[in-house]
Amino acid sequence: MNILVNLAGLMLMALVVWWFWLSRRKTAAPSATHEATIIVEDGVYTPASIRANAGESLTLHFERRDPSPCAEQVIFQGLDTSEFLETGKTTTLTLNNLPAGTYRFTCQMQMYQGTLIVD
């Protein structure tokens, strides 16, 4: 009986790791934009990939629908930018003069994940 419980626990842990860190959600290649709305819900950012032009400003509207504490902050690695998101409200974040590169944006626990591609 202990073996079955341990196996079930290991399978559940593997599923959690796959869901949050290893799965790649299929999305169409985004086109460059100056403004985008991102829905924060059910453990994901939608859309999870945004493309912008280097040297230009990008305005992002984060609509937080998920009451999970993990969803309360978005952090842009490599841009030294973060913002707290209120539940049930839209928070606007403007990134000015973006340098070319690929930047991850995540929640503080890195369970919600997205990518900002600047060309």
Side-chain angles (χ1 to χ4, degrees), residues 21-41:
W21 292 289
L22 301 178
S23 70
R24 298 287 177 226
R25 289 164 183 84
K26 295 179 182 177
T27 57
S31 58
T33 185
H34 294 285
E35 190 168 2
T37 298
I38 300 169
I39 308 298
V40 182
E41 184 176 41

Side-chain angles (χ1 to χ4, degrees), residues 35-51:
E35 190 168 2
T37 298
I38 300 169
I39 308 298
V40 182
E41 184 176 41
D42 298 329
V44 296
Y45 294 124
T46 306
S49 183
I50 300 165
R51 187 175 295 272

Side-chain angles (χ1 to χ4, degrees), residues 75-82:
I75 302 167
F76 285 82
Q77 281 83 23
L79 294 176
D80 296 326
T81 302
S82 65

Side-chain angles (χ1 to χ4, degrees), residues 60-80:
L60 300 172
H61 305 284
F62 286 90
E63 185 178 322
R64 181 179 171 200
R65 298 179 183 171
D66 196 334
S68 167
C70 190
E72 72 183 3
Q73 187 178 19
V74 62
I75 302 167
F76 285 82
Q77 281 83 23
L79 294 176
D80 296 326

Side-chain angles (χ1 to χ4, degrees), residues 1 5 8 12 18-19 21 31 33 35 39 44-45 53 58 63 79 85 87 91-92 101 104 107 110 114 119:
M1 182 65 170
V5 171
L12 184 58
W18 175 82
W19 176 261
W21 292 289
S31 58
T33 185
E35 190 168 2
I39 308 298
V44 296
Y45 294 124
N53 295 318
L58 173 65
E63 185 178 322
L79 294 176
L85 310 175
T87 306
T91 303
T92 300
R104 288 181 61 225
C107 66
Q110 298 186 19
D119 297 323

